[in-house]
């Protein structure tokens, strides 16, 4: 009899909890849309035919918006080569809303470039220099057994040299497996060479374990200090869990200024880089 009474009490408690549940829709403030600029100027040290300048332009939305992407298709974009004194238009790309590009701009290593953008009465600009990327001697891979810190598999290594004459250099690595980019929050591989020697011999790039048959491509991009800081802040934001000991979330510091209204900067970045790439299809070594 006692056990039946306990079950009855539990049922009543559960029923009561269900009856007290109420869905609350928070009335969040409606913010003014903010311009988002995501620009890339890439000089390919090992393949100049791939040189490209592309910029994606959009605006922010509110929390309850059904559409997460709000492209801007009526901005005016130009790129200035500050050494040559020449300017180039970036044109909208058909069937790719919000994307502007130009693949015919003659990019030169060491030159300074300025992006200018006009939208709704505001002028935006950002300047960057194409810094040399590290010299690549080889990308190699080797098999590693499972350890406490590593899974069993094949790991990639970088050998080459980094240009120490200009001080600390900054890089970002992108890794593709079978043409798919590793693009989760833990895949922003940014590196300073502050503690590296000029000559680099078989530096392990990341803790990605690959298998026989995987086709792997690794791309290395030079960064200036502002872009290195931007990615550091972005990673910190992506891993912010909103807990008691977490810092208040904030957008990464942009390297783009609003020259019309400096108090209202856009979101985003303009990355100017030199780059190189390499890789291999992993074969089992006897």
């Amino acid at each position: 009899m006692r056990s039946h009474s306990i079950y009855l009490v539990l049922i009543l408690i559960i029923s009561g909890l269900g009856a007290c549940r109420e869905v609350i829709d928070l009335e969040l403030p409606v913010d003014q849309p903010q311009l988002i600029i995501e620009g890339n100027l890439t000089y390919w040290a090992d393949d100049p035919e791939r040189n490209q300048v592309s910029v994606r332009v959009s605006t922010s939305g509110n929390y309850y918006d059904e559409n997460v992407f709000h492209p801007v298709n009526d901005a005016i974009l130009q790129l200035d080569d500050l050494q040559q004194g020449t300017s180039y238009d970036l044109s909208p790309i058909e069937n790719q809303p919000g994307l502007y590009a130009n693949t015919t701009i003659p990019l030169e290593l060491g030159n300074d470039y300025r992006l200018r953008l006009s939208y709704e009465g505001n002028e935006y600009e950002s300047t960057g220099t194409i810094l040399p990327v590290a010299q690549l001697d080889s990308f190699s891979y080797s098999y590693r057994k499972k350890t406490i810190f590593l899974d069993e598999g094949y790991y990639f290594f970088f050998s080459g040299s980094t240009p120490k004459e200009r001080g600390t250099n900054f890089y970002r690595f992108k890794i593709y497996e079978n043409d798919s980019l590793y693009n989760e929050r833990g895949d922003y591989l940014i590196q300073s060479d502050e503690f590296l020697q000029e000559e680099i011999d078989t530096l392990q790039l990341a803790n990605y374990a690959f298998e026989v048959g995987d086709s792997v491509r690794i791309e290395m991009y030079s960064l200036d200090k502002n872009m290195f800081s931007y990615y550091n802040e972005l990673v910190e934001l992506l891993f912010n869990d909103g807990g008691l000991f977490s810092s208040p979330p904030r957008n990464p510091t942009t390297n783009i200024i609003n020259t019309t209204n400096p108090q209202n900067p856009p979101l985003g970045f303009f990355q100017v880089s030199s780059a190189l790439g390499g890789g291999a299809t992993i074969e089992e070594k006897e």
Side-chain angles (χ1 to χ4, degrees), residues 26 64 89 98 112 120 152 158 160 162 178 198 205 216 256 270:
L26 297 176
Y64 290 117
D89 293 329
D112 301 315
E120 292 190 343
E152 178 184 15
F158 167 79
T162 182
N178 303 323
E198 183 172 357
L205 290 175
V216 180
I256 306 170
F270 177 49

Side-chain angles (χ1 to χ4, degrees), residues 197-209:
Q197 299 296 322
E198 183 172 357
E199 297 299 322
I200 303 171
D201 183 29
T202 57
L203 173 69
Q204 183 173 321
L205 290 175
N207 292 335
Y208 295 97

Side-chain angles (χ1 to χ4, degrees), residues 7 13 25 43 63 94 100 126 130 140 162 173 207 213 217 221-222 224 255 260 264 271 281:
Y7 290 143
I13 291 174
D25 292 325
Y43 169 86
Y63 184 82
E94 188 176 358
Y100 302 75
S126 182
I130 302 180
S140 59
T162 182
F173 292 90
N207 292 335
R217 177 172 173 80
Y221 296 80
S222 65
D224 62 22
N255 62 350
T260 305
N264 185 30
Q271 176 178 314
T281 298

Side-chain angles (χ1 to χ4, degrees), residues 42-52 103-107 275:
T42 306
Y43 169 86
W44 285 93
D46 57 345
D47 188 6
E49 294 296 320
R50 295 183 63 190
N51 289 355
Q52 186 178 41
T103 60
T104 63
I105 299 175
L107 303 178

